Structure formats: C-alpha cells, structure tokens
Amino acid sequence: MTGSVDETAETAEAAETAEAAEAPEADEAAQWWATAVSHVEPGSIELRERPIQQLIGSASLVDVIWLLLRGGTPSARESALLEAALVAGVDHGPQAPSIAAARMAATCGIGLNNAMATGINMLGDSHGGAGQQCVEMLTDVRARHATGLDWDTAAQEVMADWQSRSRYLPGFGHRFHPVDPRRDPLLGLVRDAVADGVVAGDHLEAALAVESVLRRRRAGARPVPMNIDGATAVIYAELGFPAPLARGLFVLSRSVGVLAHAWEESGQGRRNKGPVPRGVVPARLPPVQGA
Ligand SMILES: CC(C)(COP(=O)(O)OP(=O)(O)OC[C@H]1O[C@@H](n2cnc3c(N)ncnc32)[C@H](O)[C@@H]1OP(=O)(O)O)[C@@H](O)C(=O)NCCC(=O)NCCS
C-alpha cells in the first residue's frame, strides 16, 4: 500500500538528510585513501592514469616500476640503465646474508612469502641497503662541487663529514670481492649514457672522486673500491630517484634471487637448516659470564 503524498515527501526528505549526513564521512574516507599511484573501479584498473590494458603486452616491468614510482615513461636508454642496475643486484649466492637467511627460513615450515620476508628484512645499512646513504653522500659531493670546489676537494670534505660518524663509507668495500665484478660493467653503461646525453654524469664524477681519494689514502692497504650498492646508487641518482628509493629498488632486485633460493631450498627436503651442516660441531662458545 502506498502512503499519502505528504508521507512520501517526508520519506524522501529524511533519506536526503541521512545521505547528507553520510556524505562527509564518505568524502573523508575517499581522501584517506587518495592516491596518484592507481585508480581501481569495477571493470577498470589504471596505473598513474594509464589503463592496465594499454600496459599489458607493451610496457616492460622496468617501465612499469618507473611509472608507478614516479609517473611517466622512461626513454629506452633510461629504462635500459635502470634494468642493468636491477639485473646486477638480483643474487649474490648463499654466502650473502639475505640469501642464506631466506634459505634457512624456507626449511622451517613457513610459507615462501615468509622465507622471502626473512631475507629481505636483512637488507640494511651494511648489506644491500647502503645505496640509500650512498646517493645522499654523492648528492652532497655534487652540491659542494657546484659551489666551485674541484671534485677531489668536494669528495674529501664530504668523506670527512661521513667518517666523523663511521669509518665505512656507504657503497665502497666488499668482504668477498677485491673488486666487485658488477662495478665496471655498470659504470661503463653510465659512461656511455653520459656520452650520449642520457644522464648528466655528476653523480658518476662524485663517486669516482670518492673512490680515487680512498685509493690514494689506502695505498698499500686492502683496497675498498665501489661495490654494487655504490655503482647502482650512481645509476639511481643519475636517473633522478630519491635516496630512499635506491634501497627500495635494490630490495626489488634482490627479491628475485631471494625467491629463487627459497624456492630451490624448499624443494630439497631439509628441515630446520642451520648455519652449519648437521654433525659439524661449531667451535665451542666461551662460557656465559655472570649468568
Ligand atoms: C662491505 C663491508 C661490510 C666489508 O667490510 P670488511 O671487508 O669486513 O671490512 P673491514 O672492516 O675488515 O675493513 C678493512 C679495511 O678497509 C676499510 N674499509 C672497509 N670498508 C670501507 C669503506 N666502505 N669506507 C672506508 N674504509 C673502508 C676499513 O676501515 C679497514 O681499514 P684498515 O685496514 O685501515 O683497518 C664494508 O666495506 C662496509 O661496511 N662498506 C660500506 C657499506 C656497504 O657499502 N655495504 C654494501 C656491501 S656490498
């Protein structure tokens, strides 16, 4: 049974009032999740306003990483440079803490995602995460050079500043390699990109200046040339990525190796893999003092 005209009008008015009362909350919720990265509606997925249908089959994963992180599309040369940095960091064998941890975790009855997270959580200031500080250091050298100092003096000033806090400069030295085999090919690609006007080359100059001062100071001692974090930091900085993303991008790259190792280990049937093979007795630990 339908109500009177008056009753219908009152019901409509009440509904409008309720809607108006809800609207600010809906707006607030929309604002809370406002993002320029992606927009999803029923039947539509846009990444930085580009429909996913346009990207599938035409954009490379590296191009999509660039698109999501900063918007826009890299040129073919920029994309190739970013890809080289990402390829270089994928794996460093089971002696790398991130890989070893993921392999051990994979044998402990947890999921592949948990094993990956275990390895990725180990990428820090001294292992795989130094690219972030290296970009900051190179940016500082570049800024001082821009004030009129030559590269060598600018590098020495910045190194003194960093080494007043830690003797280890980020992006230099390697426990395993006298010269990191990834250094030369990566820097070669940056040099080519500078020659072709793809990138400016200031961060490359800054990194080479730091390396040259270190070489001079450590003449006769164990050299500490640029490592993977340093060489990839040069690329990320030359391409204009902010410092924290140097770590983020390295994590993306290393995740590939972490996944491959965790997956392989999970198929080998070991349970609770430890740091030494079963039966090998580790050196006796000193007695605990005062406990
Ligand atoms: C990678 C790293 C942990 C390897 O360390 P290590 O081989 O155990 O180095 P040691 O602590 O034995 O140092 C050996 C010598 O090299 C020097 N050295 C090592 N790395 C150095 C660096 N990054 N900057 C300046 N000097 C460094 C040490 O001061 C030490 O000097 P000494 O011989 O006068 O005492 C170390 O080089 C480091 O912390 N680098 C910076 C962080 C980084 O880039 N990590 C990414 C690694 S891929």
Side-chain angles (χ1 to χ4, degrees):
M1 220 170 111
T2 51
S4 69
V5 174
D6 279 357
E7 274 174 351
T8 312
E10 271 170 30
T11 314
E13 202 177 312
E16 266 172 37
T17 314
E19 206 176 291
E22 275 171 25
E25 266 179 43
D27 268 5
E28 209 178 316
Q31 279 305 314
W32 188 253
W33 292 108
T35 168
V37 175
S38 54
H39 186 75
V40 177
E41 284 183 14
S44 159
I45 302 170
E46 288 182 353
L47 306 182
R48 298 260 181 212
E49 299 182 353
R50 302 264 312 270
I52 193 80
Q53 299 92 312
Q54 279 179 16
L55 297 168
I56 296 171
S58 66
S60 71
L61 179 59
V62 174
D63 290 352
V64 172
I65 291 170
W66 182 296
L67 176 71
L68 282 192
L69 290 179
R70 55 197 279 180
T73 311
S75 70
R77 290 293 299 279
E78 288 171 327
S79 181
L81 206 50
L82 177 57
E83 181 162 28
L86 293 172
V87 166
V90 286
D91 189 10
H92 194 259
Q95 64 270 52
S98 49
I99 302 286
R103 293 196 74 119
M104 288 194 285
T107 67
C108 296
I110 59 177
L112 206 47
N113 56 318
N114 307 112
M116 288 181 73
T118 303
I120 289 163
N121 268 327
M122 298 187 78
L123 296 171
D125 293 349
S126 58
H127 171 48
Q132 178 172 353
Q133 293 98 320
C134 189
V135 169
E136 285 165 11
M137 185 175 74
L138 302 181
T139 304
D140 203 357
V141 174
R142 178 174 171 261
R144 291 195 202 207
H145 172 71
T147 68
L149 295 181
D150 60 65
W151 283 113
D152 197 273
T153 312
Q156 288 193 56
E157 282 192 9
V158 172
M159 289 164 75
D161 197 20
W162 280 77
Q163 289 190 309
S164 67
R165 299 188 293 272
S166 163
R167 67 203 270 233
Y168 298 101
L169 295 165
F172 295 84
H174 204 286
R175 194 155 286 164
F176 197 73
H177 302 294
V179 176
D180 192 320
R182 299 161 289 191
R183 177 201 177 278
D184 290 355
L186 288 172
L187 296 191
L189 289 172
V190 182
R191 280 200 186 89
D192 292 347
V194 174
D196 296 340
V198 179
V199 294
D202 288 354
H203 295 91
L204 173 64
E205 291 294 342
L208 292 174
V210 172
E211 191 177 50
S212 151
V213 174
L214 270 174
R215 192 183 311 120
R216 200 164 67 227
R217 285 191 188 155
R218 296 188 55 78
R222 186 172 173 222
V224 284
M226 211 181 306
N227 59 37
I228 176 71
D229 285 349
T232 52
V234 169
I235 291 184
Y236 298 139
E238 289 288 348
L239 291 174
F241 285 96
L245 286 181
R247 183 174 296 200
L249 286 164
F250 188 88
V251 169
L252 275 185
S253 158
R254 180 53 59 90
S255 297
V256 178
V258 164
L259 171 60
H261 279 275
W263 174 240
E264 182 190 62
E265 185 71 54
S266 68
Q268 290 182 346
R270 286 196 193 97
R271 298 177 80 229
N272 299 354
K273 180 176 186 164
V276 291
R278 196 165 293 178
V280 174
V281 183
R284 188 180 288 275
L285 296 172
V288 179
Q289 301 289 319

